[in-house]
Amino acid sequence: MSDDKTLQVLNQFNAAFQKHDPSLLEGLLAEDCVLENSGPAPDGSRHEGLAACREFWSAIAADANANFEPEEVWASGDRGIIRWKLSWGPGPKDHVRGVNLMRLRDGLIVEGMGYVKG
């Protein structure tokens, strides 16, 4: 898989959160998708399968009170890294920064592992 194709998928994935439009996730997730969220501590929650991953990510994408800002998106073959900031208010402490480690297969997201700065 080319870096450009991986970046295209990751940029559309990010757009779902920036535009608060979960429909942009359609066609991006594999049937056997697995996501590990950053919380709750210590290991986060695990979501397996297309429906579970789509439901989890769609809820975040639809949250109009959340402001998602990708800080860096990087790809190497079928792997990608999204460094981001998620804000929920105007205060200087109303945000968290983190990273998603992504893996794609055949142009679809099969794995997303989320980590936050603690």
Side-chain angles (χ1 to χ4, degrees):
M1 188 163 174
S2 74
D3 295 357
D4 288 341
K5 177 60 178 171
T6 299
L7 285 173
Q8 179 184 8
V9 171
L10 296 180
N11 287 334
Q12 183 175 336
F13 177 82
N14 290 339
F17 301 95
Q18 291 176 289
K19 296 178 180 182
H20 304 288
D21 185 356
S23 72
L24 295 175
L25 297 171
E26 293 300 319
L28 296 184
L29 309 178
E31 286 290 330
D32 58 343
C33 182
V34 172
L35 104 82
E36 289 189 4
N37 186 34
S38 57
D43 294 323
S45 59
R46 184 175 172 90
H47 307 266
E48 298 182 17
L50 173 62
C53 292
R54 183 174 44 221
E55 179 181 351
F56 183 87
W57 275 323
S58 290
I60 297 170
D63 184 353
N65 294 316
N67 181 34
F68 177 78
E69 299 173 52
E71 295 179 328
E72 179 180 20
V73 181
W74 177 86
S76 180
D78 66 348
R79 303 283 178 154
I81 296 173
I82 305 167
R83 198 167 47 84
W84 48 263
K85 178 179 175 183
L86 181 66
S87 304
W88 53 84
K93 294 184 180 184
D94 294 339
H95 72 274
V96 66
R97 294 180 67 220
V99 63
N100 282 9
L101 306 179
M102 310 295 281
R103 186 169 60 88
L104 284 71
R105 183 183 62 236
D106 300 325
L108 299 174
I109 296 170
V110 293
E111 186 175 73
M113 305 295 185
Y115 300 89
V116 298
K117 293 180 76 110

